[in-house]
Amino acid sequence: MPSPNDAVIVSICRTPLTRRVKPPSPSPTSETLLTSVISSSISRCNLPPSSIQDVCIGNVLGGSAAAVTARVAVIKTLGYKVPVRTTNRQCASGLQAVSDVACLIRSGQIECGLAVGYECMSTNTMENSFGDGPDVEEDDGDDDEANFESESLDAIMTPMGQTSENVAAKFDISREEQDAFSVSSHRKAAAAWDERRFDYELIPSSPSSLNNPSIKKGSFPDNGIRRDTSRIPTLPPAFSSTGTTTAGNSSQITDGAACVCLMSRRMAESRNLPILAAFVSYAVTGVPPRIMGIGPATAIPAALKVTGKEVSDVDLFEINEAFASQAKYCVDFLKIPEEKVNVNGGAIAMGHPLGCTGARLVVTLVAELGRRGGGLGVVSMCVGTGMGAACVLKVERRNAKSKL
């Protein structure tokens, strides 16, 4: 039953997801991405900045500087009185931000907050951020300790691309299956764009253009989507000469930001704001780091168990496509009907800006469920070093079409 203490979503937005720009071409800055979504989020529900009691921002590659960037962006958009913090759970960082703000609301610590995810992979590259990884001391202890030691080494020494190869080999997922999954992602994303299904969630990526009447909704498309997918089966393996993971069946390196405004049901109803969705549950699970891509296969059941629901009760899933191998495995393992998964395409077509992805998937899921008239939805992704994260959201049918 609905409770006044429920954490509900009253505003969603995201920038376009744009492929990484290499120097000397100009690229968006982290600050630009953040100020765009923060200012748009509060303007969409006519909230004064003083209503926001806390902001949590997910980011992966920004390092310690991300906290300063986040603070500057919040001061510029909401004022110095509004606090902010950053969180890093790798690919689930944006979703972790949503969960953190929702938990603050449900516990009564705040009434309203913003959950943001962003990544500027043009300027903060994975190579510069991670380098060769940390040093880990080797242990010659007993068998259990040796097993733990082996897993800990896998967590830092197995490249992401190799984890995809490991999943494909272990679960017998062929190159042809991976390429077909990728082609489907591009086709669904192209169709969604053609039918203007992203219009509601998208904003221009430059703050200076937000009030420019010549900028129309959807005028800055997600530019990784390929209409012509004929080259995908011809691309060489990217991580092993005998492998099946390629640039065509992996997620793209992308810039982007997304923002979710949450508040208590009590506050939303008192302000007569449309309730776009309710936060229901969140779960994070651990999996072997060598096959980290299977994370959603364990995290989704864990998140649903809290609600008493089954996979078959869910209307739509947004599962991050880090690699076709792992996404296909998770969908097949959980026996999810294809027509319920990533109906508007996924990260293989649109890109995977690491810290942004979790929040972006929430935005896209809420918008699509609202467009369809409501229902139960799940957002999930694998997480580097061997984890999975999943969140259950409910788009309430009585409010589902409000402003969507």
Side-chain angles (χ1 to χ4, degrees):
M1 293 293 292
S3 163
N5 298 321
D6 287 343
V8 300
I9 295 171
V10 297
S11 175
I12 54 174
C13 65
R14 70 172 177 91
T15 67
L17 305 183
T18 55
R19 295 171 68 183
R20 178 178 63 176
V21 177
K22 295 182 180 180
S25 300
S27 63
T29 66
S30 297
E31 186 181 313
T32 297
L33 293 170
L34 283 173
T35 55
S36 295
V37 291
I38 292 172
S39 59
S40 181
S41 179
I42 62 171
S43 68
R44 286 186 171 207
C45 51
N46 288 319
L47 274 181
S50 58
S51 298
I52 307 300
Q53 295 171 285
D54 205 353
V55 181
C56 185
I57 297 179
N59 178 261
V60 179
L61 302 179
S64 58
V68 177
T69 301
R71 181 59 177 153
V72 170
V74 165
I75 290 173
K76 284 189 172 183
T77 53
L78 304 175
Y80 72 88
K81 291 185 178 181
V82 178
V84 61
R85 71 176 176 87
T86 58
T87 187
N88 182 352
R89 201 192 281 269
Q90 300 194 66
C91 300
S93 298
L95 189 60
Q96 187 67 51
V98 173
S99 175
D100 286 359
V101 173
C103 289
L104 287 173
I105 292 168
R106 291 167 118 183
S107 65
Q109 295 181 66
I110 65 172
E111 288 283 331
C112 180
L114 297 182
V116 186
Y118 84 95
E119 206 71 66
C120 191
M121 300 183 79
S122 292
T123 54
N124 298 318
T125 66
M126 294 182 71
E127 295 80 5
N128 289 343
S129 297
F130 294 140
D132 296 326
D135 293 329
V136 175
E137 295 181 4
E138 296 195 11
D139 193 339
D140 295 323
D142 60 29
D143 289 344
D144 286 341
E145 289 176 343
N147 287 336
F148 290 145
E149 179 66 26
S150 175
E151 296 289 0
S152 70
L153 289 172
D154 285 344
I156 64 168
M157 296 182 69
T158 307
M160 291 298 99
Q162 187 58 50
T163 69
S164 173
E165 296 288 4
N166 294 343
V167 169
K170 183 176 179 65
F171 301 106
D172 195 25
I173 301 170
S174 69
R175 166 72 187 264
E176 290 72 24
E177 290 176 301
Q178 294 173 61
D179 287 347
F181 189 97
S182 303
V183 168
S184 175
S185 182
H186 282 280
R187 288 178 177 170
K188 288 186 287 187
W193 188 263
D194 290 342
E195 296 171 17
R196 302 183 68 87
R197 284 183 242 151
F198 294 131
D199 278 7
Y200 178 77
E201 63 194 70
L202 275 171
I203 63 168
S205 56
S206 170
S208 62
S209 66
L210 289 174
N211 297 316
N212 186 337
S214 68
I215 302 296
K216 305 297 183 182
K217 285 183 179 178
S219 62
F220 293 84
D222 306 307
N223 67 1
I225 301 169
R226 294 180 177 89
R227 294 188 182 278
D228 181 3
T229 57
S230 59
R231 287 190 59 211
I232 287 179
T234 71
L235 295 172
F239 304 100
S240 167
S241 60
T242 59
T244 58
T245 301
T246 72
N249 56 40
S250 305
S251 57
Q252 300 182 42
I253 299 174
T254 311
D255 301 329
C259 185
V260 179
C261 181
L262 299 103
M263 62 176 58
S264 67
R265 186 182 296 274
R266 177 191 307 104
M267 181 176 179
E269 291 178 346
S270 70
R271 290 174 177 257
N272 198 30
L273 292 172
I275 295 174
L276 304 182
F279 178 93
V280 181
S281 69
Y282 178 64
V284 183
T285 57
V287 298
R290 285 179 55 80
I291 50 172
M292 68 93 198
I294 71 170
T298 59
I300 290 173
L304 286 171
K305 184 177 181 180
V306 179
T307 72
K309 301 291 185 180
E310 304 287 342
V311 167
S312 59
D313 296 318
V314 179
D315 295 292
L316 287 180
F317 293 82
E318 283 288 335
I319 299 176
N320 187 43
E321 300 168 355
F323 301 97
S325 61
Q326 58 81 211
K328 178 169 175 52
Y329 167 78
C330 293
V331 171
D332 291 348
F333 178 82
L334 295 172
K335 296 181 172 59
I336 304 174
E338 183 181 348
E339 64 271 17
K340 288 187 175 184
V341 182
N342 300 354
V343 295
N344 294 325
I348 288 173
M350 298 168 64
H352 174 26
L354 307 181
C356 167
T357 288
R360 198 281 295 178
L361 294 179
V362 169
V363 167
T364 299
L365 179 71
V366 169
E368 181 61 24
L369 276 174
R371 198 179 67 82
R372 293 178 176 222
L376 196 68
V378 167
V379 166
S380 186
M381 68 282 296
C382 57
V383 182
T385 69
M387 291 179 280
C391 173
V392 180
L393 299 165
K394 183 178 182 181
V395 172
E396 300 168 3
R397 296 187 185 279
R398 65 187 177 91
N399 287 326
K401 293 186 178 180
S402 300
K403 298 181 72 177
L404 295 179

